[in-house]
Amino acid sequence: MTEPLLRRGEDLEYETVEAADGLEKAVLLNDDHGAPNFAIRRFVLEPGADVPKHTNDVEHEQYVLAGEYTVGIDDEEYTVEPGDSLLIPAGTVHWYRNEGEEPGAFICAVPNGDDEIELLE
C-alpha cells in the first residue's frame, strides 16, 4: 500500500544533466519515494542553455514554471512561458534553448522506470 509523503522544496538536490549544457534536474517524487506510477521532476534551464535534439522512450508532460524559452517538437518551434503545458509523446524529437536572461524552469511528469535519452546530434 502506498504511504502519503511530503517532501520539502529545501530538501531537493539538483544534479547536472550530462546530455545538455546548462540544464539541472531535481527528482520531486518517483518510485524511490513510494510513488507507484509516475515520476515528477523539476528542471532548470539556465540562460544560454541549449539541450540538443533527442528522443525519450517514454512520454513527457511538462508545465512551465518560470522564464521564457524555446522548445522544438518535431519540426515546430514554440516559445513557452509560465502557465504553458506541453505533451511530448514517447519517441518524439524535441529540444530546448534559453536565449533569455532569466532561468527557465518546468515540471516534467513521466511514467516510473527508465527514461532513456537518445541524442540525435
Side-chain angles (χ1 to χ4, degrees), residues 40-118:
I40 304 173
R41 300 95 51 91
R42 185 177 191 275
F43 288 85
V44 176
L45 191 63
E46 295 297 331
D50 186 23
V51 180
K53 287 182 179 181
H54 65 280
T55 61
N56 297 87
D57 289 342
V58 298
E59 67 188 76
H60 288 62
E61 284 83 15
Q62 298 179 356
Y63 179 77
V64 180
L65 298 170
E68 184 177 289
Y69 54 92
T70 303
V71 180
I73 303 174
D74 283 332
D75 295 328
E76 298 290 329
E77 286 189 21
Y78 304 95
T79 299
V80 297
E81 59 188 31
D84 290 346
S85 300
L86 302 157
L87 170 61
I88 303 172
T92 300
V93 175
H94 58 290
W95 54 268
Y96 305 84
R97 183 178 59 239
N98 185 357
E99 295 176 330
E101 296 180 12
E102 301 293 324
F106 60 94
I107 298 290
C108 182
V110 295
N112 274 331
D114 190 15
D115 181 20
E116 188 172 332
I117 184 171
E118 181 180 340

Side-chain angles (χ1 to χ4, degrees), residues 18-35:
E18 297 296 324
D21 293 326
L23 183 65
E24 293 184 327
K25 173 180 80 171
V27 175
L28 308 180
L29 293 168
N30 68 7
D31 52 352
D32 292 341
H33 306 104

